[in-house]
Every structure is written in C-alpha cells, then in structure tokens.
Amino acid sequence: IVEKLIAAGDDVHHVPIYGLRRTSLQEAAAKGMVGIVEKLIAAGANVNGALRGRFTPLQQAAKGGHLAVLEKLIAAGADVNGYSWIRKTALQLAKEAGHLAIVEKLV
C-alpha cells in the first residue's frame, strides 16, 4: 500500500491534523515497521523531522527498542545526538526503556 500511495503522489511529510500528529516515518519508526521505514526513506522522508512536542523517527525507534529501524535511520543520516522536546537524546530514551542493544549501538 505504501508504494501505491507514494506512486500516486502522496506527501511523505504529511501530518494529519487529528490523532497523534506524526509523520508516516515517525509512526512507522515507533511501531518498528522496518520495511515501511525503508520505503519512506527511499521516497525522501525527512529522517530528522519532528513536530514540536514529538520525537524524531530515530528517537521513536530507540524508545521502542526497534534496532533494525534504528540502523536504517542512522544509515540514512539521522542525527544520533539530537535532543527531543523533553531534552533527551535517543541514547537516553533507549536507556530509560531498558533497550540494551539500542544503547550499545548508540554508544
């Protein structure tokens, strides 16, 4: 479905006005959907994009313990040292959530 939406010209940076107010990449990263993350990155989604009061895709992946997604985002140029709206890095979020593999990857 993602391929069809992108091919039809869907905006990969679109943020719905209702609900969680996250981009498709933020949502896919938060849910560990590595295949969708790959497709969105290939279509030009902003790997560092986050609305005010939201986590970046990398921070979402770190917080959720999604190592494969985290690796894809880093390879695409995601900022591993960026601070979230609550002044925490992806490393801090992963540590707080107990995701050792993510912590080891980010150190």
Side-chain angles (χ1 to χ4, degrees):
I1 293 176
V2 173
E3 298 97 340
K4 289 181 181 180
L5 290 170
I6 292 169
D10 193 42
D11 179 9
V12 295
H13 301 103
H14 174 75
V15 178
I17 60 172
Y18 299 107
L20 295 175
R21 296 199 36 82
R22 297 194 288 210
T23 65
S24 297
L25 185 57
Q26 287 172 295
E27 189 69 20
K31 293 182 177 179
M33 304 169 112
V34 69
I36 292 175
V37 166
E38 289 174 318
K39 289 175 177 86
L40 290 167
I41 290 170
N46 182 356
V47 295
N48 292 309
L51 296 173
R52 188 172 148 195
R54 299 288 182 254
F55 295 111
T56 66
L58 185 79
Q59 293 161 350
Q60 293 279 4
K63 188 173 178 270
H66 306 299
L67 182 59
V69 170
L70 184 105
E71 291 171 335
K72 296 291 181 187
L73 291 165
I74 291 171
D79 180 5
V80 298
N81 296 312
Y83 285 94
S84 70
W85 61 283
I86 56 173
R87 304 297 299 155
K88 294 191 179 184
T89 64
L91 176 62
Q92 291 169 314
L93 293 168
K95 181 182 173 209
E96 288 174 1
H99 300 303
L100 182 59
I102 302 284
V103 170
E104 290 173 346
K105 181 72 179 177
L106 292 172
V107 172

